[in-house]
Amino acid sequence: MNPKQVAEYMLGQDYFSQWMNIKLIEVKENYCLIEMPIKKEMINGLKTVHGGVTFAFADSALAFSSNNSGDAAVALNCIINFTKAGKEGDVFRAESILVNDTRKTAVYDIKITNQNEELVAKFVGTVYKIGKKVTEL
């Protein structure tokens, strides 16, 4: 399978990402660009996007970029900085780019922006390569 096919395979069984209505915009090896509309159920008590939703969106970008070679990887450590509050009706995009790759780990920078290309959050994720194929899990 090519990287896009692997990402589509993963999304097909990722019911949480489906609930978030994530769309794969662009997928290349160790890279992805995804999009998600912000719906009412994602809003917190301050009428902004719940931080957990933004984190989960970035985590999905990490998954689709770090596994799309077909070799399975799982999150080892993730850090997020929130820079702008999102609102209902926004459309978030997450771009995940590989910045460091070793035999057992890899580090990805993920930038989340809104429909106005304003930075919503910056996420750095480290993954551990578990030595199995995505399709074996």
Side-chain angles (χ1 to χ4, degrees), residues 3 18 22 35 40 45 53 67 83 85 87 103 121 136:
Q18 290 175 35
I22 289 175
E35 189 174 271
K40 185 171 103 172
V53 170
N67 286 281
T83 56
K87 303 277 188 189
R103 187 173 54 82
E136 295 173 349

Side-chain angles (χ1 to χ4, degrees), residues 18-30:
Q18 290 175 35
W19 175 82
M20 290 193 297
N21 203 24
I22 289 175
K23 303 289 184 243
L24 301 170
I25 304 301
E26 184 179 0
V27 179
K28 298 183 281 192
E29 189 163 345
N30 300 310

Side-chain angles (χ1 to χ4, degrees), residues 53-109:
V53 170
T54 305
F55 188 98
F57 181 54
D59 187 49
S60 288
L62 177 64
F64 295 130
S65 58
S66 66
N67 286 281
N68 71 30
S69 68
D71 296 316
V74 295
L76 188 61
N77 184 55
C78 300
I79 299 167
I80 193 166
N81 287 293
F82 301 102
T83 56
K84 182 173 182 60
K87 303 277 188 189
E88 184 180 352
D90 282 350
V91 177
F92 282 6
R93 277 193 162 204
E95 182 178 42
S96 179
I97 299 171
L98 175 68
V99 293
N100 187 57
D101 194 20
T102 71
R103 187 173 54 82
K104 293 302 282 180
T105 65
V107 178
Y108 289 79
D109 272 346

Side-chain angles (χ1 to χ4, degrees), residues 38-51 84-90 92:
I38 300 303
K39 52 189 176 180
K40 185 171 103 172
E41 297 84 4
M42 298 173 168
I43 302 302
N44 65 23
L46 299 178
K47 298 181 184 170
T48 61
V49 177
H50 192 288
K84 182 173 182 60
K87 303 277 188 189
E88 184 180 352
D90 282 350
F92 282 6

